[in-house]
Every structure is written in C-alpha cells, then in structure tokens.
C-alpha cells in the first residue's frame, strides 16, 4: 500500500475543522463566511482542487476524489445547519407562550355609573353644608301625596301613579316624602340631600324606567329667599358641569312648591378638535319654594320659615354626562357596558373570573 498523500491528510483535517465550525455557527451570516472560506473561489478546498494540475497522474485521481467528497460533505453540512438556525429564529418570533402578555387581574367590580353620579352630586352639596337623609321606599299616601299638599284627586297624582302594596301603603313615586319625614323630626335649619329609589307606572323605554333613582334636596330656615334657591342650584350646576354652564328657571307647577320651576342647564362641550360649543338646554330637575301648606302640615310656622326644594334624576344626568343613548343600558346589568365606568376594563377579565 502506498503512503497516504499528504494532501489527503490536509483535506481530512480541513473537513473536521470545517464541520466543527459549521456546527458552532449561530446564524446564516456566520455560515456564509464559512462557506466562502472553505468552498468559495479563493477558499481552501477550492485551492487544493486548483492545484491538482501540479500533481503526478498517479496522485491526481485519489486527491481529486477526496477533495470532491469533502466539498460535498461541507456543502450538505452548511445547508443542514442553515435550516436549523432559521427554524430556531422562527421559534423566537412566534413562541408558544407569550411572556410579554400582561398578568391577569382579579375582577373586583366597581361603582355603578348612576351611583357614581349620585356620589359626585352628594360631594358638591355636602361641601355646601347639606347632610344626607333617607326615607322608606314603601311609604303612605300621607307622606307621598297628602302632606305634600297633593289631594288624591289632583291630576298630579295620575302623573305619579304607582304600585299600592295595601290600602294606604304604596311604593313612593318620588323622594319628596323625605322632606316631610325630615321636617316632622327636626326643627329648622334644615339642609338635606336624600337620594333613593322611586317607582312609577311608567313605560320602559330609552328615557323612562318604572323604577329609578331620585335625589331630593330641601333647605328650610329663617329668611331663605328665591335668591338662595337660584344661587344654590346655579352653583351646583357650575360645579358639576363646569364654570361656563348656564342655568335657566322655567315656570312650572308642583303642588308642594310655590312658585315652582323646572331647572335647565346649557353646558359648554369640548369637541374632538378642541373647539368649545354650547349644548342645547336640558332639563335637570323640578324645584321651587316650599309651599306654605307643606310647612303647616309638618307644624312649622310659614310666617317664620321659608325654604326651597328640588328633585333630580341622576340616571338622566349620567346619560348626559357619559353620552349614553338609552337609559335601559344602565339597568341591563351587561358587564361589558358597566365595566367601562370602572378603572378596570373587561379586557382584563379571564373566563374563569367573569361573572
Ligand atoms: N318630586 C318632584 C317629581 O318627582 C320633583 C320635585 C322635588 C319638584 C322637589 C319640586 C321640589 O317630579
């Protein structure tokens, strides 16, 4: 057997070295550098092939064959490694688990938008010295109508037709009975705010619901005038809707106030482009100076005391505030709608946590 040609030895060493380098390469760029340095025109394997012409006729075939074999082995190894590194790059691009996904939050619920509005209104009146009062939702004809100067055959009773539980007991059709209950128990000065649910035989549509919240206000003291009445409600409107808000008092009628008014506001609205425009007039409450007959009914001397009262619907105010088109949306208990009014949105809910 003839001695192994030293070029074959060199080729085999080259092969081992190149295969190690290919296996260690981490990306296509590194593989391309290796391909050029071994198989490129000026590469090391190509150099040996180019020098074949200098060899003897005996030496030429085995060295040529070995050089071609090494060339093929390296070409295959480069291709195989190329496939591997590009596959692992795809894996990094689309991993099975997205580690950047925010952690899941616990569903903690929130304050209903109508109650949020009640809280806001309460905070304003509280800062003006009002205290909170409440009365029963099932009340008597005396408190709901008669003491409020409303005979049962008065047309106002038809407007506030309600559910009778038994003889004289009914679901209150407004929060005004709290005026009477408070004045019966306390001497002036009186400054109360009384939120609560009321019930009427009303339709269920975009602007009416047969059960709804009201907020009653009552002020009684010596020397309370129409000026106090207008100034207090205008101040409330400006604090709730902003300093540019205009207030209008339209003559109206309620059996328990004289004179009576419906209070409208005109708000300043900021458009998407930042321009400020005035809204239409919108009615926010019924109100008036407390009728002397009501003061007499609770044993106050109407020559000595005067006062004003108002009643508003926080759901309608919430409707305006949030631009909600239909009152019923507040009561359908759809958590996708309601969760918009909490700091936590539904997108943070998990299937397991969703109610
Ligand atoms: N109770 C009246 C209503 O429900 C509103 C109101 C309250 C009017 C107080 C005047 C004074 O329509």
């Amino acid at each position: 057997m003839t001695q192994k040609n030293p070029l074959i030895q060199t080729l085999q060493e080259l092969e081992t070295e190149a295969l190690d380098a290919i296996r260690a390469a981490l990306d296509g760029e590194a593989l391309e550098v290796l391909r050029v340095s071994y198989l490129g025109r000026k590469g090391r394997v190509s150099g040996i092939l180019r020098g074949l012409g200098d060899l003897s006729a005996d030496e030429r075939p085995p060295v040529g064959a070995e050089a071609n074999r090494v060339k093929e082995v390296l070409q295959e190894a480069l291709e195989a490694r190329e496939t591997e590194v590009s596959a692992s790059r795809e894996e990094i691009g689309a991993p099975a688990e997205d580690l950047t996904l925010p952690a899941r939050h616990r569903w903690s619920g929130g304050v209903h938008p109508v109650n949020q509005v009640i809280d806001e209104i309460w905070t304003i009146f509280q800062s003006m010295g009002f205290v909170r009062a409440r009365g029963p939702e099932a009340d008597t004809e005396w408190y709901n109508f008669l003491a409020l100067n409303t005979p049962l055959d008065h047309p106002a009773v038809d407007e506030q037709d309600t559910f009778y539980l038994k003889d004289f007991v009914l679901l209150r059709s407004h929060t005004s009975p709290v005026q009477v209950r408070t004045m019966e128990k306390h001497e002036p000065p009186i400054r109360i705010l009384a939120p609560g649910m009321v019930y009427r035989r009303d339709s269920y549509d975009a602007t009416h619901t047969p059960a709804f919240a009201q907020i009653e206000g009552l002020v009684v003291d010596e020397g309370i005038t129409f000026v106090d009445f207008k100034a207090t409600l205008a101040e409330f409107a400006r604090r709730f809707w902003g300093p540019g808000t205009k207030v209008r008092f339209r003559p109206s009628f309620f059996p328990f106030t004289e004179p009576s008014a419906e209070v409208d506001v005109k708000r300043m609205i900021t458009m998407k482009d930042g321009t400020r425009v005035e809204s239409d007039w919108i009615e926010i409450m019924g109100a008036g100076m407390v009728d002397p007959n009501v003061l007499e009914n609770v044993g106050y001397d109407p020559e000595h005391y005067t006062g004003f009262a108002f009643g508003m619907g926080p759901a309608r105010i919430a409707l305006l505030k949030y631009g909600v088109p239909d009152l019923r949306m507040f009561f359908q208990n759809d958590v996708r709608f309601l969760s918009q009014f909490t700091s936590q949105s539904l997108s943070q809910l998990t299937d397991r946590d969703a109610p």
Side-chain angles (χ1 to χ4, degrees):
M1 246 200 92
T2 52
Q3 179 71 40
K4 201 171 176 185
N5 186 298
L7 276 177
I8 288 179
Q9 177 73 27
T10 306
L11 278 166
Q12 285 169 355
E13 279 165 17
L14 253 174
E15 181 185 6
T16 314
E17 179 197 308
L19 285 177
D20 283 347
I22 290 167
R23 258 193 297 276
L26 291 176
D27 55 29
E29 229 172 287
L31 288 170
E32 179 59 14
V33 170
L34 291 174
R35 193 190 63 75
V36 170
S37 80
Y38 291 104
L39 306 177
R41 261 192 303 123
K42 292 177 186 163
R44 292 157 74 184
V45 178
S46 319
I48 292 171
L49 281 166
R50 220 178 301 121
L52 283 180
D54 302 335
L55 298 177
S56 66
D58 288 355
E59 287 171 318
R60 214 178 291 151
V63 173
E66 186 63 9
N68 278 322
R69 186 191 64 78
V70 170
K71 191 176 160 181
E72 263 169 48
V73 166
L74 295 189
Q75 247 156 10
E76 271 170 33
L78 282 165
E79 271 168 39
R81 185 64 188 152
E82 173 69 44
T83 317
E84 269 174 33
V85 295
S86 64
S88 71
R89 203 169 33 245
E90 271 163 28
E91 263 174 37
I92 292 165
E97 298 213 6
D98 180 358
L99 301 179
T100 66
L101 203 64
R104 288 170 175 181
H105 291 247
R106 189 145 284 284
W107 172 244
S108 59
V111 178
H112 190 280
V114 175
N115 288 335
Q116 286 182 34
V117 165
I118 292 175
D119 287 347
E120 253 178 81
I121 293 171
W122 159 240
T123 305
I124 293 170
F125 280 101
Q126 186 186 32
S127 76
M128 296 198 275
F130 284 65
V131 296
R132 193 99 160 200
R134 65 190 298 178
E137 289 178 25
D139 214 335
T140 60
E141 281 177 336
W142 167 255
Y143 287 108
N144 198 77
F145 295 121
L146 300 170
L148 287 164
N149 200 36
T150 314
L152 293 177
D153 56 1
H154 194 283
V157 174
D158 293 339
E159 266 173 51
Q160 301 203 357
D161 195 7
T162 181
F163 304 94
Y164 274 75
L165 300 172
K166 59 182 212 181
D167 298 340
F168 308 106
V169 184
L170 44 81
L171 291 179
R172 66 179 176 188
S173 59
H174 52 175
T175 42
S176 299
V178 184
Q179 292 185 30
V180 180
R181 290 181 167 275
T182 306
M183 288 189 285
E184 275 183 351
K185 275 207 208 89
H186 303 276
E187 288 299 310
I190 299 234
R191 237 181 285 166
I192 56 152
L193 201 77
M197 291 302 288
V198 305
Y199 305 85
R200 288 186 197 175
R201 200 184 147 279
D202 250 342
S203 54
Y204 184 60
D205 60 34
T207 51
H208 298 85
T209 53
F212 59 100
Q214 271 196 342
I215 303 179
E216 191 80 10
L218 174 71
V219 171
V220 183
D221 202 355
E222 285 174 46
I224 299 289
T225 68
F226 206 82
V227 174
D228 301 299
F229 169 52
K230 282 189 79 172
T232 305
L233 295 181
E235 177 62 16
F236 157 70
R238 283 191 295 264
R239 289 210 207 163
F240 189 82
W241 280 287
T245 308
K246 291 181 180 157
V247 182
R248 175 170 85 176
F249 291 72
R250 264 182 305 115
S252 184
F253 174 81
F254 298 100
F256 38 92
T257 47
E258 184 60 33
S260 302
E262 314 241 347
V263 182
D264 299 342
V265 296
K266 196 187 252 296
R267 298 160 296 152
M268 291 302 296
I269 301 174
T270 307
M271 306 303 279
K272 273 198 189 124
D273 64 3
T275 53
R276 307 256 294 154
V277 297
E278 282 193 334
S279 72
D280 291 337
W281 285 108
I282 45 139
E283 188 193 314
I284 55 155
M285 64 175 103
M289 301 302 291
V290 180
D291 192 294
N293 289 342
V294 176
L295 298 175
E296 245 164 41
N297 285 341
V298 298
Y300 285 3
D301 177 1
E303 295 300 322
H304 195 60
Y305 293 117
T306 48
F308 64 86
F310 54 89
M312 54 186 143
R316 289 209 186 161
I317 291 172
L319 206 80
L320 292 166
K321 184 180 167 79
Y322 299 118
V324 172
D326 192 319
L327 208 50
R328 287 168 291 193
M329 296 173 91
F330 286 133
F331 307 109
Q332 283 160 344
N333 254 345
D334 184 338
V335 78
R336 290 167 304 178
F337 170 75
L338 293 175
S339 64
Q340 298 176 81
F341 302 95
T342 70
S343 52
Q344 195 177 36
S345 76
L346 191 72
S347 61
Q348 292 168 323
L349 282 178
T350 64
D351 285 344
R352 185 172 47 80
D353 290 336

